[in-house]
Amino acid sequence: MTRRIIIDTDPGQDDAIAILLALASPDEIDVLGITAVAGNVPLELTAKNARIICELAGRDDIKVYAGCDKPLGRALVTAEHVHGQTGLNGPRLPDPKMPLQDQHGVDYIIDTLRDAEPGTITLCPLGPLTNIAAAFTRAPDIVEKVREIVLMGGAYFEVGNITPTAEFNIYVDPQAADIVFRAGAPIVVMPLDVTHKALVTPERNAAFRSLGTKVGTAVANMTDFFERFDKEKYGSEGAPLHDPCVTAYLIRPELFSGRHINVEIETTSELTMGMTVADWWGVTDRPRNAMFMGRIDAQGYFDLLTERLARL
């Protein structure tokens, strides 16, 4: 059954690959639209990068909307130190010709969900949860229209990658994350505990490059660029490919396993701000609100990526 999805994103090289995987999989995924949010780089660049990737995939028919340019209640933190000044450093890709839609991304999310039958739209946030939280706050009636929220963010055993206790996407807007996790919609979380097991090794990156296509070469150049940061930081053989875990789950959920647990977001302590407090061991009586993934079939994941990217 084809999933009707909205991708909410802050591209970012790994966001870009997640979008490409979705657009390469029309039998499983129907991308209704893409909303951009400030995160890895400011909004002007994330909205531009989303359109660059659509054109790279040959899909200039996809509508892209600019959403929130800052978190709900904090100053924006960005990640040029990982993704480069453009967010898509690595390949040389032309500026987009397709237009940015006039409608605000949050309004698009609200209108699309209001027009849908209950439980029919999957939201796929790949960055900070600002747009989703803003939509839920302004229009709480839309929550029942959500089939599932499948997001990349958070961590438990892997703790933090931007602070000692927080993963970047949640840290950028913890207040938004708190709203989303309390909203009552079904949630699937792809935390660092999973994505740090999905490493772009030299062999896996060579497989992308050997596709011999514009997409394959661009993806290989993207991972060549951003892996330098993670390899130095973690001492690993490659960089984690975070965000495509979201779209891979929509296509082959059997690649992932986890636990349905309670997850709450720290919003008051500056020491642990943005921490995903995951009750993995069930030591509280707080209600379970998220499927928190813990394992991935990494080779199956990269085989899927390579096979699908070859279609573009």
Side-chain angles (χ1 to χ4, degrees):
M1 180 177 175
T2 305
R3 290 259 201 159
R4 301 174 68 218
I5 77 168
I6 297 172
I7 297 175
D8 187 67
T9 182
D10 61 337
Q13 291 91 348
D14 55 331
D15 302 69
I17 299 168
I19 294 168
L20 291 171
L21 177 59
L23 297 179
S25 306
D27 291 340
E28 295 90 358
I29 298 173
D30 178 11
V31 180
L32 302 178
I34 297 174
T35 52
V37 67
N40 285 324
V41 287
L43 179 66
E44 180 180 0
L45 287 173
T46 62
K48 175 182 177 181
N49 291 346
R51 289 176 289 148
I52 288 173
I53 295 307
C54 288
E55 291 187 357
L56 176 63
R59 293 295 305 275
D60 60 4
D61 59 303
I62 300 291
K63 292 183 177 180
V64 177
Y65 304 79
C68 297
D69 64 356
K70 59 184 178 182
L72 296 183
R74 292 169 64 82
L76 177 63
V77 175
T78 55
E80 289 89 349
H81 61 290
V82 178
H83 299 279
Q85 291 302 309
T86 70
L88 287 181
N89 283 35
R92 292 187 176 181
L93 298 171
D95 287 345
K97 296 179 180 178
M98 60 187 284
L100 186 65
Q101 300 300 305
D102 292 333
Q103 187 179 27
H104 193 281
V106 173
D107 293 326
Y108 168 73
I109 292 169
I110 292 171
D111 290 349
T112 303
L113 287 169
R114 278 187 170 156
D115 289 342
E117 293 296 319
T120 56
I121 305 293
T122 297
L123 301 178
C124 298
L126 309 178
L129 290 163
T130 314
N131 287 341
I132 308 302
F136 284 179
T137 301
R138 283 175 44 194
D141 57 290
I142 67 176
V143 175
E144 68 171 15
K145 304 299 185 75
V146 176
R147 173 177 174 179
E148 203 167 41
I149 300 170
V150 185
L151 66 91
M152 189 276 133
Y156 178 61
F157 294 100
E158 289 287 317
V159 289
N161 65 352
I162 188 67
T163 75
T165 61
E167 179 275 332
F168 178 82
N169 286 344
I170 305 299
Y171 177 77
V172 169
D173 199 341
Q175 286 74 25
D178 183 53
I179 290 168
V180 171
F181 275 82
R182 292 179 184 274
I187 298 177
V188 175
V189 183
M190 295 293 170
L192 299 183
D193 306 280
V194 162
T195 65
H196 279 181
K197 297 167 185 164
L199 298 179
V200 187
T201 62
E203 294 76 17
R204 289 166 177 167
N205 211 35
F208 294 148
R209 195 177 300 280
S210 69
L211 293 175
T213 63
K214 188 179 352 181
V215 168
T217 300
V219 167
N221 288 342
M222 287 180 199
T223 54
D224 273 345
F225 177 84
F226 81 82
E227 76 172 1
R228 91 235 176 271
F229 175 81
D230 287 298
K231 287 173 74 173
E232 180 178 347
K233 179 178 181 180
Y234 297 113
S236 58
E237 59 178 335
L241 198 54
H242 306 281
D243 293 331
C245 288
V246 168
T247 37
Y249 172 80
L250 301 181
I251 302 166
R252 291 191 185 159
E254 66 274 11
L255 293 174
F256 303 89
S257 62
R259 294 183 184 179
H260 191 222
I261 62 172
N262 175 268
V263 178
E264 298 198 7
I265 310 299
E266 177 57 61
T267 61
T268 59
S269 167
E270 284 299 329
L271 181 65
T272 56
M273 181 65 69
M275 183 177 183
T276 43
V277 183
D279 188 9
W280 185 259
W281 303 113
V283 296
T284 76
D285 59 1
R286 294 194 290 264
R288 300 174 182 180
N289 62 342
M291 175 59 73
F292 201 82
M293 293 301 181
R295 294 182 180 178
I296 179 175
D297 173 358
Q299 192 54 52
Y301 169 69
F302 280 96
D303 289 345
L304 173 65
L305 272 169
T306 304
E307 183 261 316
R308 293 303 169 94
L309 293 177
R311 299 179 179 186
L312 296 174

